[in-house]
Amino acid sequence: MLFVVYFSWWLLMKKTELLSPAGNLETLKVAVQNGADAIYMAGKKFGARAFSENFNDDEIIEAINYCHLYGVKIYITINTIVYDDEVEDFINYVDFIYKNGVDAVIIQDLGMADLIHKTFPNLEMHASTQMNVHNINGLRFLKEMGFKRVVLAREVPIETIKKMKEEVDIELEVFVHGALCISCSGECYFSYFECNRSGNRGKCAQVCRQPYTLLKGDKKIELEDKYLLSPKDLCTINNLDDLIKIGVDSFKIEGRMKSKEYVGLVTRCYRNKIDYDKVSDEDITNMKKVFNRGFTLGNLYSKRAKEFINGFRPNHLGVLIGEVIDYKKGKVKIKLSDYINQGDAVRFIQNNEVGFYLNRIYKNDLLVNGAKKGEIVEFDSKEEIKKGTKVYKTIDIKLNNYINETSINLRKVLIDGDFKVQNNKIIFTVTDKENTEKIILNDSVFKAKNKPTLESDIKEKLNKLGNDIYVFDNLKIDIPSDIFIPMTTINNLRRDIIKKLTDDRIRVKSNYQKNNVILNKSGIKITNDIFFEVQNKEQLEYILENTDYKCYVNNVVLYSKYKNNDRVIFKMPRINNSNIKNENTLISEIGEITKNTITDTYFNVVNSYYVNFLYNKGVKKVTLSYELTIEEIDNLIKNYKNKYNEEPNLEVVIYGKPELMISKYCLLNTYVNKEKVCNECAKDYYLVDKYNKKFPIRSENCYMKILNYKDINYLDKIDKLQSIGVTNYKIILDRENIEEIKLIISALKIKENIL
């Protein structure tokens, strides 16, 4: 697997970009040495992996310089939602990384993206996968905003990626390896509502990796699997050619919280595949050793959900290395199906999982450093392990050492050199194709008295680059045959010119521009409405016939019967694969933005800049994010008034079960209906967690939705919301009957005097 990565300008232009993650400096350097064309990373704030080690300011500068020295681009993630009281700090941080040479920023918050584009018009922006871009309209919208690249939602199939590339001239970045989300990208609130840790703030608690049971009504469905929402890991290394052919610009490896060995090995394997079309069974096995939950192609090709999920266990599987054949007196006896070494970590998969490092390995009652496939060995184990239990290796110390040892000075930069003597002057030029340095020396060439300096002498000295990153691809020597040049002169010349070239490579390219942004009011009209989001005809008719309230309807057939009623507005799908957008609708994703639309809570609006941005794109009302407290809403409204000298037209959800996630994966089709045509979503199914919370399962256009186990209820907070400037309110109904709706309305009527 050892190889040397040669970098040159033409190679970068020719190949699809390989983009690797880095959670710290050590991992970044390993990724660069193993062939990454670009690195994505985060500082200590505003990155969607808040629990990664990440980079302080000094480390950011060092990381940028190191990457640029090797011709590697560096993208910094600022892909969280940003609150009003953070905006000044956010812009100062962007200013810092821009001045220090970052190649692009990866961003989620459209309000901040608009502010960045206006403040720093030359700074390259990439749209985060958290934006859930899954259709052509979304691409067009972002291109018009000034984005250069879009990181596609992980759920986009290859045929759609192909159409996107054909129809919109914008760079596309696609995840090719690593962890997957069960929820559609950027559409998960599970962690926020259950753990008060927002995925939109980089603090996802991975609630999907927890065990669940499945109920139908009150009856438990018996299943072997416990981890019903835990996806396998993506691995597309054998399918990269398909993505290259359709023109994908960047292949992204997930893993900012993974080990340096993982990042180094996976980068190396994908580099070999891209450059040499080489991938072996050993490569796949080794990638499983550094981390895997089982491998899947995700949603690129598969239409069957079962191969997407690893219901067996939610964390690193490792690779199978044997089976327990006996346990006696604190020792477990194993027959090996793969090699092991002292320092490896193993896990025994039984009812109570047991795992430990191999500090001692016994073979024939003697201590050994390792053992081979087919041999029988024993390990110390305080816990009893049953005969027949499978044994998995979760850390391979030999592989890890190999990756670390071969990731030093692995990458070289090709340069051309021209050394000549004219008129007793030395003229030495080097170039890396982008930067050229020339040094001219006078009074350094002498008439040879004895042995003249030969071309081979000069070439030998110039090629002694030691541990430097450079290698001469071409080196021309043109000197007279009767001259003498001191070797110290040549050595000093080599050092001086390489230093100049290095300074050129890490020098910040000057495209910095910072503008003062003028904030303009939008002229938005204020409305005062209460909307019910209804799910069926009975609910809709009751609201229309017995109240003055308005309704959002997400059922196309039901809406078609009431579309002429000006109190009924159609709610567009959260995941819109049709590329259709309409005026006067409630919308949930950026591809649907057009004039006279209403944005739903899934836009994750938490700052006043985002509100104003949407108004200026034609939106007439903005529903605020679930992730705002009343105090934060108050702060947003005050900031909006101060900046834009007008009142905002806002809506807040005050009752209902939030959708914790929406997913292309359907566990009912996987575990209940299997191969049959599924209509199970109309029935009463629930996910139940270890705390016995029951989460209803629903469907929208064959996308599975999981609702919260309880309603949010701010019906008694309307007076407070009204007093701070909220003028529109939404009640989300699920399967409430008429009597339950009456109770909700009676609570609303108490507040009618302020509406």
Side-chain angles (χ1 to χ4, degrees):
M1 287 184 59
L2 182 59
F3 68 106
V4 177
V5 181
Y6 287 106
F7 171 84
S8 64
W9 175 83
W10 65 268
L11 184 62
L12 180 64
M13 298 299 291
K14 179 180 178 182
K15 298 288 186 181
T16 303
E17 177 185 88
L18 179 59
L19 176 58
S20 295
N24 55 50
L25 264 173
E26 189 177 17
T27 302
L28 177 140
K29 292 177 180 179
V30 169
V32 169
Q33 290 300 324
N34 281 281
D37 295 312
I39 300 292
Y40 68 102
M41 50 168 273
K44 296 293 186 180
K45 295 175 288 188
F46 308 115
R49 287 292 184 272
F51 299 111
S52 177
E53 184 177 341
N54 294 324
F55 294 70
N56 62 36
D57 289 355
D58 289 338
E59 289 171 335
I60 286 172
I61 295 171
E62 184 178 347
I64 292 172
N65 289 342
Y66 184 85
C67 284
H68 287 175
L69 182 60
Y70 284 93
V72 172
K73 291 186 175 182
I74 194 159
Y75 311 140
I76 294 183
T77 62
I78 46 174
N79 56 339
T80 61
I81 53 177
V82 179
Y83 290 79
D84 269 281
D85 58 3
E86 299 172 318
V87 172
E88 182 178 358
D89 191 24
F90 178 85
I91 289 297
N92 288 338
Y93 176 64
V94 175
D95 189 52
F96 163 73
I97 59 177
Y98 185 22
K99 282 180 176 176
N100 281 285
V102 68
D103 294 288
V105 291
I106 304 171
I107 190 164
Q108 172 189 3
D109 190 309
L110 281 178
M112 293 300 96
D114 183 55
L115 184 58
I116 287 173
H117 188 56
K118 290 173 178 175
T119 307
F120 308 106
N122 295 331
L123 178 57
E124 186 173 313
M125 295 192 302
H126 297 176
S128 170
T129 191
Q130 288 290 109
M131 286 194 191
N132 188 241
V133 180
H134 58 272
N135 57 39
I136 289 171
N137 283 340
L139 286 185
R140 288 181 176 141
F141 182 86
L142 292 173
K143 180 177 172 60
E144 290 172 3
M145 270 194 72
F147 280 89
K148 184 176 181 182
R149 177 183 294 185
V150 172
V151 187
L152 293 179
R154 292 175 176 91
E155 300 73 48
V156 181
I158 195 165
E159 59 268 21
T160 302
I161 298 174
K162 183 175 185 295
K163 291 177 183 177
M164 288 175 158
K165 196 62 190 169
E166 290 170 347
E167 297 196 24
V168 185
D169 183 19
I170 193 169
E171 289 184 8
L172 299 184
E173 182 176 302
V174 173
F175 281 92
V176 294
H177 194 96
L180 290 165
C181 292
I182 187 66
S183 172
C184 292
S185 300
E187 297 292 306
C188 186
Y189 298 87
F190 219 143
S191 179
Y192 173 76
F193 278 102
E194 296 312 302
C195 305
N196 197 29
R197 284 172 48 177
S198 168
N200 288 309
R201 299 281 285 171
K203 298 179 180 180
C204 176
Q206 295 199 326
V207 185
C208 54
R209 304 288 184 189
Q210 298 300 312
Y212 293 92
T213 55
L214 184 61
L215 296 186
K216 183 176 182 181
D218 293 324
K219 184 178 179 181
K220 179 180 177 180
I221 298 174
E222 297 296 332
L223 301 171
E224 286 187 20
D225 289 347
K226 295 180 181 179
Y227 302 96
L228 305 182
L229 298 178
S230 183
K232 296 178 182 178
D233 288 341
L234 183 66
C235 179
T236 68
I237 194 165
N238 284 315
N239 300 80
L240 289 189
D241 288 346
D242 293 342
L243 294 169
I244 291 172
K245 286 176 184 175
I246 64 178
V248 171
D249 299 276
S250 180
F251 293 152
K252 187 169 197 168
I253 297 168
E254 181 277 336
R256 277 190 286 147
M257 295 181 69
K258 298 288 200 325
S259 69
K260 66 181 186 299
E261 292 84 6
Y262 166 92
V263 172
L265 178 70
V266 174
T267 299
R268 185 179 299 191
C269 289
Y270 276 81
R271 180 82 274 158
N272 276 332
K273 175 62 178 176
I274 293 169
D275 289 352
Y276 310 114
D277 196 25
K278 289 182 179 180
V279 59
S280 65
D281 291 341
E282 181 186 13
D283 292 332
I284 303 297
T285 299
N286 285 339
M287 286 194 291
K288 288 181 177 179
K289 286 179 179 178
V290 290
F291 196 92
N292 86 96
R293 299 181 180 94
F295 282 159
T296 175
L297 289 172
N299 291 294
L300 273 178
Y301 304 91
S302 174
K303 294 183 180 179
R304 280 293 299 134
K306 181 64 177 175
E307 68 179 56
F308 187 75
I309 289 292
N310 173 12
F312 174 55
R313 65 193 321 275
N315 47 16
H316 179 32
L317 283 175
V319 294
L320 183 67
I321 61 162
E323 184 175 306
V324 175
I325 58 176
D326 198 8
Y327 178 87
K328 286 181 182 178
K329 298 180 180 179
K331 283 189 170 58
V332 57
K333 185 177 288 188
I334 314 294
K335 183 169 183 180
L336 294 173
S337 57
D338 198 357
Y339 71 87
I340 58 167
N341 287 286
Q342 188 178 18
D344 288 349
V346 295
R347 182 176 282 123
F348 299 85
I349 307 297
Q350 53 183 18
N351 289 337
N352 62 320
E353 289 191 13
V354 179
F356 48 75
Y357 284 93
L358 297 180
N359 295 319
R360 293 184 180 90
I361 303 171
Y362 303 91
K363 186 170 69 174
N364 299 325
D365 295 325
L366 297 175
L367 283 171
V368 293
N369 293 325
K372 301 176 183 177
K373 176 180 178 180
E375 294 183 334
I376 295 174
V377 295
E378 290 181 307
F379 311 143
D380 294 323
S381 177
K382 294 179 181 179
E383 296 191 51
E384 182 176 354
I385 301 174
K386 297 176 183 178
K387 182 178 178 179
T389 298
K390 301 295 184 185
V391 188
Y392 293 81
K393 184 194 295 185
T394 53
I395 293 178
D396 186 324
I397 193 68
K398 181 180 177 182
L399 176 63
N400 285 358
N401 288 341
Y402 173 78
I403 297 166
N404 292 324
E405 289 166 3
T406 60
S407 296
I408 300 171
N409 297 323
L410 183 60
R411 188 168 189 153
K412 300 296 181 183
V413 175
L414 296 177
I415 58 175
D416 291 339
D418 186 356
F419 184 101
K420 58 187 175 183
V421 173
Q422 291 181 345
N423 300 322
N424 285 330
K425 295 179 181 178
I426 297 174
I427 304 171
F428 187 29
T429 306
V430 295
T431 180
D432 62 4
K433 304 296 193 295
E434 288 190 60
N435 305 285
T436 300
E437 282 295 338
K438 180 187 289 188
I439 294 179
I440 300 175
L441 292 181
N442 295 307
D443 304 322
S444 297
V445 179
F446 306 94
K447 190 76 172 176
K449 295 180 180 178
N450 297 309
K451 183 180 177 182
T453 299
L454 304 177
E455 288 186 14
S456 57
D457 298 327
I458 297 174
K459 185 168 289 189
E460 179 185 358
K461 291 297 181 184
L462 293 181
N463 274 305
K464 285 185 177 179
L465 298 173
N467 289 328
D468 288 342
I469 68 168
Y470 304 101
V471 170
F472 280 113
D473 187 28
N474 293 291
L475 178 57
K476 296 180 181 178
I477 310 291
D478 183 9
I479 62 172
S481 60
D482 59 347
I483 63 166
F484 171 75
I485 304 174
M487 290 298 106
T488 54
T489 299
I490 298 174
N491 288 333
N492 292 335
L493 184 60
R494 181 195 66 234
R495 283 193 293 267
D496 291 346
I497 205 163
I498 290 299
K499 183 182 183 305
K500 286 176 175 289
L501 183 63
T502 297
D503 290 343
D504 277 345
R505 292 177 68 83
I506 65 174
R507 186 182 67 248
V508 176
K509 307 299 186 285
S510 182
N511 69 345
Y512 177 85
Q513 180 182 341
K514 184 175 182 180
N515 296 336
N516 292 321
V517 178
I518 300 173
L519 302 176
N520 296 314
K521 64 170 63 178
S522 64
I524 195 72
K525 295 181 180 179
I526 305 299
T527 56
N528 293 271
D529 292 315
I530 292 178
F531 270 84
F532 278 74
E533 187 174 311
V534 300
Q535 307 301 322
N536 56 53
K537 181 180 179 182
E538 183 183 33
Q539 293 172 345
L540 176 61
E541 289 185 344
Y542 183 82
I543 300 298
L544 292 179
E545 292 171 6
N546 295 279
T547 75
D548 294 326
Y549 304 138
K550 298 179 180 181
C551 292
Y552 296 124
V553 179
N554 62 9
N555 183 293
V556 176
V557 176
L558 182 59
Y559 174 73
S560 65
K561 296 177 181 178
Y562 291 86
K563 63 183 180 181
N564 293 325
N565 188 324
D566 60 8
R567 291 168 59 200
V568 178
I569 288 179
F570 182 60
K571 179 186 175 183
M572 296 286 282
R574 277 183 72 180
I575 307 298
N576 182 2
N577 294 311
S578 67
N579 291 310
I580 294 173
K581 55 184 179 180
N582 296 294
E583 295 184 28
N584 199 35
T585 53
L586 177 67
I587 63 175
S588 297
E589 55 95 10
I590 61 176
E592 296 168 342
I593 293 176
T594 190
K595 61 182 180 180
N596 295 322
T597 51
I598 302 164
T599 57
D600 207 346
T601 186
Y602 308 108
F603 273 74
N604 295 322
V605 176
V606 297
N607 63 68
S608 55
Y609 293 90
Y610 200 167
V611 173
N612 182 261
F613 169 77
L614 290 170
Y615 291 157
N616 282 293
K617 291 298 180 181
V619 170
K620 63 182 180 181
K621 183 171 64 175
V622 172
T623 308
L624 294 178
S625 171
Y626 285 127
E627 300 187 25
L628 285 169
T629 64
I630 291 178
E631 291 74 19
E632 288 165 340
I633 293 172
D634 185 19
N635 189 47
L636 183 153
I637 292 172
K638 287 177 180 176
N639 275 285
Y640 188 90
K641 291 177 181 178
N642 289 336
K643 290 187 186 79
Y644 304 104
N645 195 30
E646 66 179 4
E647 302 280 339
N649 193 38
L650 303 173
E651 183 166 279
V652 171
V653 177
I654 56 172
Y655 183 88
K657 288 184 176 64
E659 294 175 12
L660 300 182
M661 67 168 61
I662 184 168
S663 177
K664 199 170 185 178
Y665 162 73
C666 179
L667 63 86
L668 299 182
N669 192 263
T670 300
Y671 291 109
V672 179
N673 246 41
K674 300 190 176 176
E675 299 294 341
K676 298 177 183 178
V677 175
C678 183
N679 192 30
E680 294 294 321
C681 53
K683 302 172 185 176
D684 288 325
Y685 284 95
Y686 302 89
L687 272 180
V688 183
D689 70 6
K690 58 187 176 183
Y691 304 108
N692 211 33
K693 297 175 184 175
K694 292 173 63 176
F695 301 92
I697 300 170
R698 302 288 185 258
S699 178
E700 178 182 296
N701 298 328
C702 288
Y703 280 80
M704 178 183 70
K705 299 191 295 185
I706 298 175
L707 308 186
N708 201 16
Y709 71 99
K710 65 179 181 179
D711 296 305
I712 58 171
N713 189 340
Y714 299 136
L715 295 174
D716 61 346
K717 300 291 193 299
I718 293 178
D719 53 349
K720 174 64 175 176
L721 289 166
Q722 193 269 345
S723 70
I724 63 175
V726 178
T727 58
N728 301 278
Y729 307 91
K730 180 165 74 167
I731 292 97
I732 301 174
L733 298 179
D734 179 36
R735 293 183 178 175
E736 284 87 351
N737 58 36
I738 298 304
E739 293 305 312
E740 291 168 322
I741 294 173
K742 287 180 180 179
L743 290 175
I744 296 170
I745 291 173
S746 66
L748 283 171
K749 284 186 176 179
I750 296 173
K751 309 295 179 183
E752 277 189 347
N753 62 314
I754 63 168
L755 294 176

